Amino acid sequence: MTALRYALLVLHFVGLAAILGPFMEQLKEQTKRITMVMVWGARAQILTGLALTGVAYARSDETGYEPDHVKIAVKLLVALAIAGLAEATRKRENPVVPFWLIGGLTLVNIVVAVAWR
C-alpha cells in the first residue's frame, strides 16, 4: 500500500508541474494560452487526488489516522475549478483572466495541501 501511495503522489506532483510549468513559462509572454499540458495536468490532479484519498481511507484502519474531510473537499473543489477553467478556455485566443485564475488557484491548492493540518 505504501508503494502505491508514493507512486500516486509522484504522479500527483507531475500533474502539478504540468499546470504550474507552462503557467510560469508564460509569465513573461504578452499573450497567454491555456495549453493542453495544463489541461492534462488538471485532469491528472483530480484523478490522482481521488486515488490518494482512497488510499488514505484504506490505510486509516491500520494507521489510526483519519483523513480531514473538509481539507479533501476544499482541495477537490479547487481542483475542479482549475480543470473546469482549463477545459472551458483552452481554445480561446488570449484568456488572460482564466489564465491568472488557473495559476492562482493552483498556488492556493498547494498552500492548502501544505499548510492545512
Side-chain angles (χ1 to χ4, degrees):
M1 190 72 77
T2 302
L4 175 63
R5 181 175 159 266
Y6 283 130
L8 288 170
L9 193 59
V10 167
L11 291 174
H12 198 65
F13 288 149
V14 168
L16 171 67
I19 298 170
L20 209 53
F23 174 79
M24 298 295 275
E25 180 183 355
Q26 293 183 56
L27 287 178
K28 63 182 180 269
E29 302 295 327
Q30 190 68 19
T31 57
K32 312 294 189 214
R33 289 181 349 125
I34 308 299
T35 66
M36 281 306 293
V37 172
M38 293 170 81
V39 173
W40 278 103
R43 293 171 182 168
Q45 285 277 278
I46 292 172
L47 291 176
T48 56
L50 289 173
L52 281 165
T53 301
V55 169
Y57 279 108
R59 291 184 53 181
S60 66
D61 292 339
E62 64 188 47
T63 62
Y65 168 76
E66 181 71 24
D68 188 346
H69 305 288
V70 178
K71 177 181 177 179
I72 291 169
V74 168
K75 284 190 56 61
L76 178 61
L77 286 175
V78 173
L80 287 172
I82 292 167
L85 282 168
E87 293 281 356
T89 61
R90 70 177 184 217
K91 293 183 180 178
R92 287 199 191 157
E93 190 63 34
N94 192 12
V96 175
V97 173
F99 176 81
W100 288 105
L101 276 173
I102 289 171
L105 287 172
T106 301
L107 293 175
V108 166
N109 228 359
I110 293 168
V111 170
V112 169
V114 173
W116 190 324
R117 292 282 172 208

